[in-house]
Amino acid sequence: MDVNVTLLSSLIIFSITSIGSGLSLNYYDQKCPNAESIVANAVKDAMMKDQTVPAALLRMHFHDCFIRGCDASVLLNSVGKNSAEKDGPPNVSLHAFYVIDNAKQEVESKCPGVVSCADILALGARDAVVLSGGPTWDVPKGRKDGRTSKASETVQLPAPTFNISQLQQSFSQRGLSMEDLVALSGGHTLGFSHCSSFENRIHNFNSTNDIDSSMHPSFASSLKSICPIHNKVKNAGTTMDPSSTTFDNTYYKLILQKKGLFSSDQALLTSPNTKDLISKFASSQEAFFKAFVNSMIKMSSITGGQEVRKDCRVVN
C-alpha cells in the first residue's frame, strides 16, 4: 500500500478550538523548523516495516498523558530499585519505543536540546493517526519532559473492565468530558488486544452467565475459540476491529452491534449521553474525526514536565 496515496485521499483537517498550558503552534518555528517533518518521517519509515506502529504510538501517548500529564514519563527506563511506568502491568505490552528514539536522535542532530520527548510523542501520535487514514491537526507544542516515572502509578490508567461511572471518574479527574471519553475511545479502532483484556466477558462472567449478556453471542463464540479458558498460547488475542490498521469509525458501528471488545467499550451504551454520541459517530465519520481532534488536543495539553531530555529513556 502506498502510504502517500492513502494519506492524500483520506486527509481531513480540522482547526483547533483552544490551546492551554502555555503551549503554542509555532513553538519550534525559529528554534527547530524541521522538527515536525523529522518526526513524521520516523513514524512513516517505521510504519512501512510494521503496520502495528500507529496503534502503538497512539496508545503510548494516551498512557503517558493519563499519569503525570503528557511529560514522556512513559518513555523512561527503570533505574535501580525504581520500576518505571513502562514496566507497570498495563504498559508491558507497549512497544515501538524505538520510533521515538529514532526521531529524537535525528532532531538532536539538527537542533540539540530543543525539542522535548513529550512533544515528539504527541507529534508521533498525530502522525500515526494521519498515516492510518485519519484526520490531521496542528499539534500545540512546548511540553517539557518529566523526571519521575513509577510503575505503581499505572493503576491510575482506565482499565478495559471499567464501567461507565469508573470511566467518567477517570476522565473527569483529568479535566476531560464524557464527549472526550467517547471520542478518545475511538482510538480503539486501531490495534490488537491480548485475551487478558477481554476474557472476563467470555468465561465465568458472573454467577449466572458464562458470557457477558451485552456481547453478541456469535462474537463471544468467536472470541472463545481464540481464547479458550485454559489458554496456553502466548500472545493470543484479536484485532480491535476488522479494519485494525485503518483509522475510521468502525469501532462505533461494532458497539451498536454488541461487538465492542472490552467491557469499557460496550459500557459506553449504558449512559444516554454517551449512547447518543456512539450513534452520532457511527453514522458520521466526519463528526467522529472532528470530535477526536478536539479531544486529542485537549488531552495532549495536560502538561507537567520540567526539562528537555537529551535521551528519551533517561533523565538529564
Side-chain angles (χ1 to χ4, degrees):
M1 180 180 71
D2 187 329
V3 174
N4 285 321
V5 172
T6 307
L7 182 59
L8 289 170
S9 64
S10 61
L11 205 61
I12 297 179
I13 303 175
F14 294 108
S15 61
I16 291 172
T17 52
S18 64
I19 304 168
S21 309
L23 305 178
S24 71
L25 297 179
N26 55 3
Y27 191 82
Y28 295 118
D29 284 5
Q30 303 302 319
K31 296 180 284 186
C32 196
N34 296 326
E36 294 205 35
S37 60
I38 291 170
V39 175
N41 286 334
V43 175
K44 185 177 171 183
D45 289 348
M47 183 180 166
M48 298 296 266
K49 301 182 186 77
D50 181 359
Q51 289 288 307
T52 71
V53 162
L57 294 178
L58 186 57
R59 184 167 176 244
M60 195 186 295
H61 184 46
F62 284 153
H63 284 217
D64 181 40
C65 295
F66 262 70
I67 303 300
R68 290 175 165 263
C70 312
D71 67 344
S73 53
V74 75
L75 305 178
L76 287 169
N77 286 342
S78 296
V79 178
K81 292 182 178 178
N82 180 62
S83 185
E85 284 172 37
K86 63 167 62 167
D87 293 320
N91 286 340
V92 290
S93 59
L94 289 180
H95 68 285
F97 291 101
Y98 72 92
V99 182
I100 305 300
D101 292 335
N102 291 347
K104 177 64 171 174
Q105 195 172 3
E106 183 66 18
V107 165
E108 285 296 303
S109 73
K110 299 288 190 294
C111 17
V114 171
V115 183
S116 68
C117 301
D119 275 349
I120 291 173
L121 183 50
L123 291 165
R126 185 270 313 272
D127 298 333
V129 170
V130 174
L131 290 165
S132 301
T136 191
W137 62 94
D138 286 319
V139 175
K141 296 162 286 287
R143 295 164 192 79
K144 293 291 188 286
D145 300 323
R147 299 190 182 107
T148 303
S149 184
K150 297 179 178 179
S152 59
E153 293 182 350
T154 59
V155 296
Q156 299 171 32
L157 290 167
T161 55
F162 271 13
N163 61 33
I164 194 68
S165 58
Q166 290 170 310
L167 289 168
Q168 182 175 11
Q169 182 180 17
S170 177
F171 275 67
S172 66
Q173 284 172 346
R174 292 156 179 86
L176 299 170
S177 67
M178 293 291 266
E179 180 164 2
D180 296 323
L181 162 61
V182 179
L184 293 172
S185 294
H188 285 172
T189 188
L190 295 179
F192 175 93
S193 171
H194 293 105
C195 296
S196 58
S197 293
F198 57 84
E199 61 190 359
N200 66 300
R201 304 185 70 203
I202 57 173
H203 301 299
N204 305 314
F205 180 67
N206 59 27
S207 57
T208 52
N209 294 306
D210 190 39
I211 295 167
D212 182 350
S213 61
S214 70
M215 180 179 273
H216 194 287
S218 67
F219 183 51
S221 180
S222 70
L223 293 178
K224 271 178 170 284
S225 66
I226 295 166
C227 307
I229 194 159
H230 297 300
N231 177 46
K232 297 286 188 249
V233 181
K234 189 180 180 185
N235 296 326
T238 186
T239 54
M240 295 299 294
D241 79 26
S243 57
S244 64
T245 59
T246 302
F247 194 92
D248 56 24
N249 67 336
T250 302
Y251 167 82
Y252 300 103
K253 296 174 182 177
L254 291 172
I255 290 176
L256 292 176
Q257 296 166 25
K258 299 175 74 172
K259 294 178 181 177
L261 191 58
F262 299 156
S263 298
S264 59
D265 295 324
Q266 207 60 47
L268 298 177
L269 283 186
T270 61
S271 152
N273 184 8
T274 54
K275 185 177 181 179
D276 286 348
L277 288 166
I278 293 287
S279 298
K280 178 182 177 182
F281 297 158
S283 63
S284 171
Q285 184 162 282
E286 186 174 358
F288 162 47
F289 281 5
K290 188 170 185 178
F292 182 80
V293 164
N294 285 334
S295 295
M296 280 293 285
I297 292 164
K298 192 171 168 184
M299 181 195 73
S300 73
S301 297
I302 306 169
T303 55
Q306 301 83 34
E307 65 183 21
V308 174
R309 277 184 230 139
K310 297 182 182 70
D311 178 337
C312 291
R313 295 173 183 253
V314 185
V315 296
N316 290 345

